[in-house]
Amino acid sequence: MSNLPLLQMRGVGKSYGSNRVLQGFDLSVQAGEIVSLIGPSGSGKTTALRCMNFLESYDEGEIWIDGQLLGYSGPGRSAKDRDSESQIDEVRKPLAMVFQQFNLWPHMTVRENVTAPLVLGKGMNKAEACALADAALARVGLAAKADAYPARLSGGQQQRAGIARALAVNPRLMLLDEPTSALDPELVEEVLLVIKGLAEDGMTMVMVTHEMSFAAQISTQVVFMEAGQIVETGVAPSMFEAPKTERLQRFLQPWFNRSLTPRTEVAG
Amino acid sequence: MEELLKLLPAFGEAMLVTLGVSLAGAAIGLVVGFALNALRLAVSAFNLLYQLYIWLIRGTPFLAQLMVIYFGLPVIGLRLSAIEASILSLGLYSAAYFAELFRSAWGSVPTGQVESARVHGLSRGQTFWHIQAPQALAFALPLLGNQVILTIKESAVTSIITVPELTMAAGRIVSTTFSYVLPYALLVLSYWLLTMAVAMTAEYLGRRATRYLRG
């Protein structure tokens, strides 16, 4: 294997009118890495993530996916310089995504949600797609819910179905946009366990998260952002134990305080 | 009672004409309206034409549109029968409203639905047919039924160009028998029966189409 990064972002920026929501964003992700994007709300984490598969267009810099430039072919970055949708689809093929709001298709069963990208997107035959779907659903512990409609599932189950859908397309890089932020506290754990399982199996991931302990535990690289810019990058867990910038110290303080407080064990 | 029985065959016949003309018109309207919305989504340059069409149809009375088609088309050599002209007019008229219903139905599908389809390899066309259309149409069914009802009621106007539908039939009976109450009561009842049938069908189909939301 060459050491060409799976994802390479150089000087990526984006503005809405005069509002610069992202600027000078650099990131390099090698296969097998797990990158966590952290920062306060509105810091541009989600925008950065959504630029990685061109759900948001970027208007400065370069994003390379597996050696291919995403979204543009030339140096121009205005709307008219954008590649055609089919060209963009081709470049983002190695990517899959898990959404904060799951975005399952409600008119399809859980299994159909997983097979649709395979049958429609990849032209796979139904039997083969079903076999892959059932394997992916088993991996996230949802084999028993394959024939249910999403409306019947809990939030945690819906998100696990969303992960199974992303997993089934056999991505080289998975993007996760606050995968547990829409969940009840009780349901967060089951989703984090599934993500941890993927990490242990070597899946390359970029994740926007507010779960600091989790990020500290599984990340190989951590990016802390504020106001559209990277403030500090580092490796976990040292970046959490000894943040260099005063801003990150302040950001992590509440989490520090919480984790230092001894937890009351619930007898059961 | 005897008078009522005498009127029924004429009303039955006229009801079939009303049903035929308005359902054929609504069918054209549905197809053209669907196509207008699909084109608008596929080709951004088409939006202007779309707007123009909606603006033209919505901004003028149906009667005027009917007159232009029935009396105006022969000028360019296209002579339609009263029934043909009525079906075409109702079709073009309702198409604008159906298109707007489809537009709002497509707008009701959350962007996240499209995003998760696009990033997992579904093309624009596949996303339209497999992700947006099933959800949008389920949402739109009761509204579409409502527009069919409006089309049925608007078809009364075609009596002016001598289409032998319900309103025309009732008027003819009134002018020959000079009895007003029974024919007009029957007229109202006939429209009500037709529109109730459409409303109940749309409601039933709408409930069936959104079963998945209840698990």
Side-chain angles (χ1 to χ4, degrees):
Chain A
M1 287 277 287
S2 68
N3 52 0
L4 183 74
L6 213 45
L7 171 75
Q8 174 99 58
M9 297 171 79
R10 274 193 231 118
V12 173
K14 176 169 183 68
S15 309
Y16 293 109
S18 60
N19 185 16
R20 266 186 123 185
V21 291
L22 194 64
Q23 54 180 312
F25 191 92
D26 296 314
L27 181 67
S28 178
V29 183
Q30 299 284 342
E33 273 203 280
I34 293 161
V35 181
S36 290
L37 302 180
I38 61 169
S41 295
S43 57
K45 319 179 285 291
T46 290
T47 303
L49 190 80
R50 287 168 60 86
C51 282
M52 293 174 198
N53 60 5
F54 217 70
L55 277 183
E56 302 280 355
S57 60
Y58 56 100
D59 38 40
E60 288 168 55
E62 295 169 358
I63 299 180
W64 297 85
I65 292 168
D66 210 9
Q68 286 183 284
L69 185 62
L70 173 68
Y72 305 94
S73 300
R77 290 292 177 268
S78 63
K80 65 174 168 45
D81 302 315
R82 262 171 232 163
D83 280 347
S84 71
E85 299 219 357
S86 54
Q87 280 172 289
I88 294 169
D89 283 348
E90 198 55 39
V91 177
R92 68 179 168 200
K93 249 186 188 155
L95 309 177
M97 189 169 196
V98 173
F99 296 85
Q100 181 177 1
Q101 300 295 342
F102 328 132
N103 294 345
L104 296 174
W105 302 306
H107 59 295
M108 297 182 186
T109 63
V110 168
R111 185 186 284 111
E112 288 165 349
N113 265 276
V114 183
T115 55
L118 304 175
V119 174
L120 298 170
K122 297 195 171 196
M124 201 179 275
N125 73 51
K126 271 220 164 92
E128 203 181 334
C130 278
L132 276 177
D134 287 345
L137 287 169
R139 195 157 159 199
V140 300
L142 269 189
K145 297 286 183 189
D147 294 310
Y149 283 97
R152 274 285 176 90
L153 306 187
S154 72
Q157 291 170 332
Q158 290 191 44
Q159 191 57 296
R160 285 189 279 145
I163 294 172
R165 174 174 65 183
L167 206 51
V169 300
N170 195 22
R172 299 196 50 207
L173 169 63
M174 205 185 270
L175 308 176
L176 301 98
D177 183 14
E178 302 196 29
T180 59
S181 295
L183 299 177
D184 291 346
E186 284 188 313
L187 303 174
V188 169
E189 196 66 25
E190 63 185 61
V191 172
L192 293 184
L193 275 174
V194 167
I195 297 173
K196 200 172 168 202
L198 298 183
E200 282 161 3
D201 292 344
M203 175 66 73
T204 314
M205 293 188 268
V206 179
M207 171 172 68
V208 172
T209 187
H210 290 296
E211 295 288 334
M212 294 305 145
S213 307
F214 185 64
Q217 202 182 14
I218 75 160
S219 311
T220 55
Q221 204 184 146
V222 182
V223 176
F224 172 61
M225 294 180 69
E226 185 176 46
Q229 283 175 299
I230 295 176
V231 176
E232 185 173 341
T233 59
V235 292
S238 63
M239 187 167 154
F240 289 87
E241 285 155 4
K244 290 192 198 73
T245 57
E246 183 273 335
R247 183 63 190 100
L248 181 57
Q249 283 167 23
R250 215 160 11 101
F251 178 75
L252 290 175
Q253 200 57 53
W255 171 73
F256 258 133
N257 294 345
R258 251 199 321 271
S259 33
L260 293 178
T261 320
R263 291 204 188 144
T264 331
E265 294 295 329
V266 180
Chain B
M1 190 62 197
E2 204 181 317
E3 197 195 341
L4 176 72
L5 285 178
K6 249 193 286 177
L7 292 182
L8 280 184
F11 265 95
E13 227 168 274
M15 201 187 223
L16 286 180
V17 175
T18 288
L19 199 63
V21 168
S22 37
L23 288 192
I28 294 175
L30 275 166
V31 172
V32 174
F34 188 88
L36 283 171
N37 178 57
L39 277 169
R40 178 188 70 82
L41 288 168
V43 189
S44 57
F46 185 75
N47 261 290
L48 198 68
L49 215 60
Y50 176 92
Q51 284 300 330
L52 191 72
Y53 185 77
I54 304 293
W55 175 70
L56 199 69
I57 296 290
R58 212 165 43 184
T60 55
F62 174 64
L63 178 60
Q65 295 162 16
L66 182 66
M67 293 299 170
V68 166
I69 284 175
Y70 187 53
F71 296 113
L73 285 188
V75 175
I76 57 161
L78 191 61
R79 189 170 299 280
L80 298 176
S81 73
I83 289 198
E84 289 164 348
S86 298
I87 291 175
L88 181 63
S89 306
L90 283 170
L92 295 178
Y93 162 80
S94 60
Y97 293 92
F98 279 125
E100 284 290 273
L101 288 181
F102 287 124
R103 186 171 70 87
S104 70
W106 253 256
S108 78
V109 179
T111 13
Q113 291 287 310
V114 175
E115 288 182 351
S116 62
R118 302 285 294 120
V119 301
H120 289 115
L122 275 71
S123 67
R124 274 256 171 244
Q126 288 173 332
T127 305
F128 178 89
W129 288 109
H130 294 274
I131 305 300
Q132 294 173 287
Q135 297 182 63
L137 294 179
F139 169 89
L141 261 170
L143 304 173
L144 298 176
N146 197 47
Q147 190 56 45
V148 173
I149 287 174
L150 292 173
T151 310
I152 291 175
K153 294 194 294 179
E154 204 65 80
S155 74
V157 172
T158 66
S159 62
I160 290 173
I161 60 164
T162 69
V163 174
E165 47 69 73
L166 279 168
T167 306
M168 173 101 185
R172 214 177 253 163
I173 290 163
V174 166
S175 67
T176 53
T177 62
F178 299 105
S179 134
Y180 289 85
V181 177
L182 194 59
Y184 282 136
L186 262 183
L187 178 65
V188 169
L189 185 71
S190 306
Y191 277 115
W192 182 77
L193 280 175
L194 285 179
T195 54
M196 272 303 285
V198 171
M200 281 164 69
T201 311
E203 167 103 22
Y204 169 76
L205 291 176
R207 248 207 312 268
R208 260 186 78 100
T210 51
R211 259 187 314 198
Y212 59 79
L213 290 176
R214 296 179 289 278

